[in-house]
Amino acid sequence: MAESVPAQPALYSGSENPPSLNGGRCHRCGYVFFPPQQYGCESCGAPPEELEAVTLPGRGKLHSFATVHLHQGKGIEAPFTVGVILLDDGPAIRSILTNRTGQGLKAGVRMSATIVSQGSDEQGREVMELRFEKAAR
């Protein structure tokens, strides 16, 4: 069995199901953000010392989505659907959805993060990437 590695380990943990996301919170105003950053609070302007790392559950509601039918990028075969998910803890995240065509999706449906294989890297390791899918409930 080939070793698997997360494509972006600073953004999420691939060891849980659903995976958790690495975000942050401002001690001064309570603002929750994703992805993690160290430049200060983008809501109230608090300095970096006021920020703490937090783990965000990979669950939320679908706000909007669009299906891409023509794409020139590498590694992503069209069609694919990109959605904006409003995470339960507050931040909005844009992600590729496992539902390639968007069929059966609508705004407000519950979504859950998942980790999917995106092929292999140069060392033959399976590369795992974060996606969102319609939650079972």
Side-chain angles (χ1 to χ4, degrees), residues 92-130:
I93 179 173
R94 248 179 273 141
S95 175
I96 296 175
L97 307 180
T98 57
N99 182 325
R100 296 184 66 83
T101 63
Q103 189 170 16
L105 294 177
K106 63 181 181 179
V109 71
R110 295 288 301 163
M111 302 295 285
S112 180
T114 188
I115 300 292
V116 299
S117 176
Q118 291 297 295
S120 300
D121 65 9
E122 301 82 30
Q123 288 88 34
R125 302 175 301 182
E126 184 177 29
V127 177
M128 307 302 286
E129 182 65 90
L130 181 73

Side-chain angles (χ1 to χ4, degrees), residues 67-106:
T67 300
V68 177
H69 293 278
L70 182 61
H71 187 258
Q72 297 180 1
K74 296 178 181 177
I76 302 175
E77 182 180 330
F80 62 92
T81 299
V82 178
V84 174
I85 294 94
L86 302 177
L87 297 177
D88 290 343
D89 284 2
I93 179 173
R94 248 179 273 141
S95 175
I96 296 175
L97 307 180
T98 57
N99 182 325
R100 296 184 66 83
T101 63
Q103 189 170 16
L105 294 177
K106 63 181 181 179

Side-chain angles (χ1 to χ4, degrees), residues 1-18:
M1 181 176 197
E3 177 186 1
S4 61
V5 294
Q8 300 178 52
L11 299 181
Y12 53 86
S13 166
S15 62
E16 306 155 14
N17 189 17

